[in-house]
Amino acid sequence: MSEPTDLPQLLCAKCQRPLVLGKVKASYLGSSFEVDLPHCPGCGFVYVSEALALGKMLQVEQALEDK
């Protein structure tokens, strides 16, 4: 699931650099996948919005735990 491309300007709290939208590698319970998320090109911090964390990611987590 991709985040909207018209994001407000987000800054990395550590580097103070603007976050850029791009593919990042995510992993959970031994499964890895790529997803488009805002991230810092300097330190690699990845921003996961509350909506994504409590929506799609929670659904995936529950589905994996049910297996």
Side-chain angles (χ1 to χ4, degrees):
M1 176 176 189
S2 296
E3 291 282 305
T5 55
D6 58 344
L7 292 169
Q9 187 63 49
L10 299 172
L11 296 177
C12 177
K14 180 178 178 182
C15 303
Q16 295 301 306
R17 293 176 68 173
L19 301 185
V20 296
L21 188 63
K23 295 232 182 271
V24 296
K25 186 176 181 180
S27 60
Y28 184 74
L29 294 175
S31 298
S32 296
F33 50 93
E34 286 192 345
V35 62
D36 286 328
L37 289 173
H39 64 279
C40 178
C43 69
F45 167 81
V46 176
Y47 173 76
V48 178
S49 69
E50 181 179 7
L52 180 59
L54 297 177
K56 188 65 173 173
M57 291 180 88
L58 181 59
Q59 291 172 359
V60 170
E61 180 179 352
Q62 290 171 339
L64 289 171
E65 289 177 350
D66 288 344
K67 287 186 176 185

